[in-house]
Amino acid sequence: RGLTDISILEHFIHLRYVDLSKNKLQDLSPLSSLTQLLWLKVDGNLLTSASMQELPYLQVISFDRNHIKDLEGITHPLLANLSLKENKIQTVLGLSHDQLSSLQVLELRRNEIKTTAGLGVSKLKKLYLAQNTICSLEGLEEFEELETLHLRDNKLEALDGFSHSMKCLQYLNLRSNGIRSFQEVEKLQVLPMLQALVLTDNPCAEEPNYRLEVLSRLPQLQRLDKELIEEDEREEAEQIRQTRLEKEK
């Protein structure tokens, strides 16, 4: 509606669901009096910051398609789902586990993030970082409860940074990166619960016997590139693995 001023909302203190998408807002301060707010959507505005006064019951916020540059000032204690897709965020610093102890889903697709270092919310279950410029993975050992990690369309050439402590990670999407060797894929052996892996559009996916080479290194996989692992594939991969182990001996 082209709104630039929402000060009238200050009087509606019992609002629980507010959608202000596709306007021209630069200031959300009038929402600070909506202490009962549970759900807020402000996609497609002109916001340069996600900072707001703390709202005690807010559980879901979507700030997609704004001009937000950092993660400072997000401090809602019950916030479970935070989306900041298609902004101008360059660093993941600024989020605090002490202030966001309920956060489980963080969506940061299509930003300008270069590294995962400093992401201070260790209780996440789903983290979406696709379509950034990430070239190194750092600080992931804190994510002991993470189940889903999306890193599609980044600039990863090495898979250092994963950790044994990531004992809940089941789904990992690495499509369209720069992973060339199966030695890098082998580093994913530290992930005990990994069941689904996407490696399409990486240089290693063009290698002969690609699926068997991956499966021989990660025998616990149930899906590779969204296709189920067949039993005969599994047996053939196991033979390759045994052959390789004998050569190494």
Side-chain angles (χ1 to χ4, degrees):
R1 295 183 175 276
L3 297 176
T4 57
D5 181 1
I6 53 168
S7 53
I8 193 171
L9 292 181
E10 290 175 333
H11 306 294
F12 296 90
I13 59 171
H14 297 295
L15 283 173
R16 285 178 168 79
Y17 300 87
V18 173
D19 187 348
L20 293 161
S21 299
K22 298 182 183 176
N23 283 291
K24 295 181 179 177
L25 300 175
Q26 299 181 55
D27 176 26
L28 298 180
S29 58
L31 300 180
S32 60
S33 58
L34 306 186
T35 55
Q36 308 301 306
L37 201 61
L38 301 175
W39 185 95
L40 174 63
K41 193 169 182 178
V42 284
D43 300 346
N45 279 280
L46 303 175
L47 299 167
T48 56
S49 171
S51 180
M52 292 174 62
Q53 185 163 320
E54 185 176 301
L55 292 169
Y57 303 113
L58 191 58
Q59 294 168 34
V60 177
I61 311 180
S62 182
F63 286 111
D64 297 349
R65 299 185 307 283
N66 278 279
H67 305 289
I68 294 165
K69 294 176 181 171
D70 59 51
L71 300 175
E72 300 288 343
I74 305 172
T75 60
H76 315 289
L78 293 187
L79 190 64
N81 191 317
L82 172 61
S83 185
L84 286 144
K85 270 189 295 195
E86 297 181 50
N87 278 281
K88 299 184 184 302
I89 297 162
Q90 295 184 359
T91 171
V92 293
L93 296 170
L95 296 181
S96 159
H97 174 67
D98 294 338
Q99 295 168 319
L100 292 169
S101 57
S102 303
L103 193 63
Q104 295 193 350
V105 180
L106 179 57
E107 168 66 88
L108 290 167
R109 269 182 273 208
R110 290 198 185 179
N111 278 282
E112 299 167 13
I113 298 164
K114 293 182 174 66
T115 174
T116 52
L119 190 54
V121 277
S122 55
K123 299 291 185 186
L124 285 179
K125 294 194 182 306
K126 296 183 179 182
L127 176 57
Y128 299 94
L129 290 165
Q131 295 170 293
N132 279 280
T133 56
I134 296 168
C135 51
S136 67
L137 298 173
E138 299 170 76
L140 296 183
E141 61 278 354
E142 296 175 34
F143 294 101
E144 295 184 8
E145 296 179 27
L146 195 67
E147 297 170 1
T148 298
L149 178 57
H150 272 251
L151 287 161
R152 177 180 174 169
D153 286 298
N154 276 283
K155 299 192 180 300
L156 293 168
E157 294 183 2
L159 293 177
D160 303 306
F162 291 98
S163 165
H164 285 286
S165 61
M166 301 176 76
K167 52 185 182 290
C168 296
L169 192 66
Q170 296 177 29
Y171 179 91
L172 176 60
N173 192 328
L174 291 164
R175 183 173 182 167
S176 297
N177 277 276
I179 299 153
R180 297 186 174 279
S181 75
F182 295 117
Q183 281 70 33
E184 292 303 322
V185 176
E186 206 162 287
K187 293 173 183 176
L188 301 178
Q189 289 175 351
V190 299
L191 303 171
M193 292 297 289
L194 188 65
Q195 294 181 13
L197 175 64
V198 182
L199 279 169
T200 315
D201 299 329
N202 279 275
C204 67
E206 304 300 318
E207 294 291 327
N209 296 327
Y210 152 69
R211 283 178 67 85
L212 293 175
E213 289 290 346
V214 172
L215 192 56
S216 70
R217 290 164 168 83
L218 302 171
Q220 81 278 20
L221 286 182
Q222 302 299 312
R223 286 177 182 270
L224 177 58
D225 300 335
K226 310 206 173 164
E227 286 184 28
L228 280 169
I229 305 293
E230 302 291 340
E231 199 52 45
D232 57 341
E233 266 188 311
R234 198 175 293 285
E235 289 170 8
E236 200 174 340
E238 180 57 24
Q239 288 176 356
I240 291 171
R241 192 171 80 89
Q242 292 298 339
T243 305
R244 191 166 56 244
L245 287 172
E246 285 168 20
K247 280 183 182 175
E248 287 170 2
K249 282 177 187 175

